């Protein structure tokens, strides 16, 4: 694909090894991978959107073709503003697919130019979610098999285990 670009949107609260794997694989397929951190996710968050953007950008600072931005409001509006109409989402399970299909179809309804493509999560990471990583971290469990080391450190700082 010549000058191809894709938006990989999400809450990323926090970035998991599964997310990171999708970004790295997408960077092999597209010239530009825009990791788009949602500013107003309805979910209760641990990290502020700005913290998430900063940490994800730091994690991918050496990875070519990856940029990390914040977006506010509708994803389809962000797609229009950036002139990138391909969205990427990872699928771990069949239940993910049901949710993702609804979201993809809603986005298509909102803007017919938008296409959503799905990438199957590496089975090694299919048990991981941001929600589980947050819960484990809050209960002082070991998250190093769930999130990149940098994010594990940020989680420890956030919950007061590290200065
Ligand atoms: O990581 P998540 O929480 O599954 O990501 C969901 C996200 C942020 C991609 C989705 O909630 C979203 O696109 N939010 C922006 C608002 C929007 O466009 N909503 C309509 C999508 S159907």
């Amino acid at each position: 694909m010549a000058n191809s670009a894709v938006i990989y949107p999400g809450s990323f609260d926090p970035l998991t090894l599964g997310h990171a794997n999708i970004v790295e694989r997408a960077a092999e397929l597209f010239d530009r991978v825009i990791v788009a951190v949602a500013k107003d996710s309805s979910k209760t968050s641990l990290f502020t959107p700005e913290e998430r953007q900063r940490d994800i950008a730091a994690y991918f600072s050496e990875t070519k073709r990856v940029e990390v931005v914040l977006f506010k409001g509708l994803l389809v509006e962000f797609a229009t503003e950036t002139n990138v109409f391909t969205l990427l989402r990872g699928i771990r399970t069949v239940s993910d697919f049901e949710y993702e299909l609804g979201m993809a179809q809603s986005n298509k309804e909102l803007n017919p130019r938008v296409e959503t493509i799905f990438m199957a999560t590496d089975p090694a990471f299919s048990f991981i979610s941001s929600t589980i990583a947050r819960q484990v971290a809050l209960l002082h469990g070991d998250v190093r098999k769930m999130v990149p080391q940098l994010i594990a450190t940020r989680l420890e700082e956030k919950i007061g285990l590290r200065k």
Side-chain angles (χ1 to χ4, degrees):
M1 268 183 266
N3 287 322
S4 58
V6 72
I7 295 173
Y8 180 49
S11 305
F12 305 112
D13 186 38
L15 179 85
T16 66
L17 289 172
H19 293 135
N21 176 257
I22 297 274
V23 173
E24 279 152 15
R25 286 158 61 200
E28 298 289 323
L29 298 173
F30 294 88
D31 297 315
R32 262 179 94 197
V33 180
I34 304 166
V35 180
V37 180
K39 254 192 127 160
D40 46 6
S41 165
S42 53
K43 296 176 194 166
T44 318
S45 59
L46 181 63
F47 292 97
T48 66
E50 290 75 17
E51 287 172 330
R52 287 178 247 156
Q53 183 205 13
R54 178 201 65 196
D55 295 341
I56 299 168
Y59 182 72
F60 289 113
S61 62
E62 304 290 312
T63 311
K64 288 197 183 74
R65 296 185 286 278
V66 176
E67 52 203 270
V68 186
V69 300
L70 288 171
F71 79 99
K72 202 170 173 352
L74 283 177
L75 182 55
V76 294
E77 297 295 335
F78 173 72
T80 305
E81 281 161 25
T82 48
N83 204 31
V84 174
F85 294 95
T86 308
L87 309 178
L88 172 65
R89 295 280 290 173
I91 299 270
R92 292 165 301 189
T93 58
V94 172
S95 60
D96 268 1
F97 183 69
E98 285 185 21
Y99 169 68
E100 294 297 335
L101 185 61
M103 204 153 72
Q105 290 170 334
S106 304
N107 282 328
K108 188 87 183 153
E109 192 67 28
L110 289 165
N111 184 342
R113 277 191 76 179
V114 167
E115 293 292 350
T116 304
I117 59 171
F118 300 115
M119 196 179 261
T121 298
D122 184 319
F125 304 126
S126 59
F127 72 99
I128 304 172
S129 69
S130 295
T131 306
I132 288 178
R134 276 199 312 274
Q135 279 175 6
V136 171
L138 285 166
L139 297 171
H140 301 179
D142 185 357
V143 290
R144 285 171 300 173
K145 288 195 175 128
M146 299 180 185
V147 299
Q149 182 54 52
L150 169 78
I151 305 294
T153 304
R154 293 285 174 269
L155 278 165
E156 286 178 8
E157 287 167 357
K158 189 58 112 177
I159 61 175
L161 289 181
R162 191 189 277 256
K163 289 242 167 80

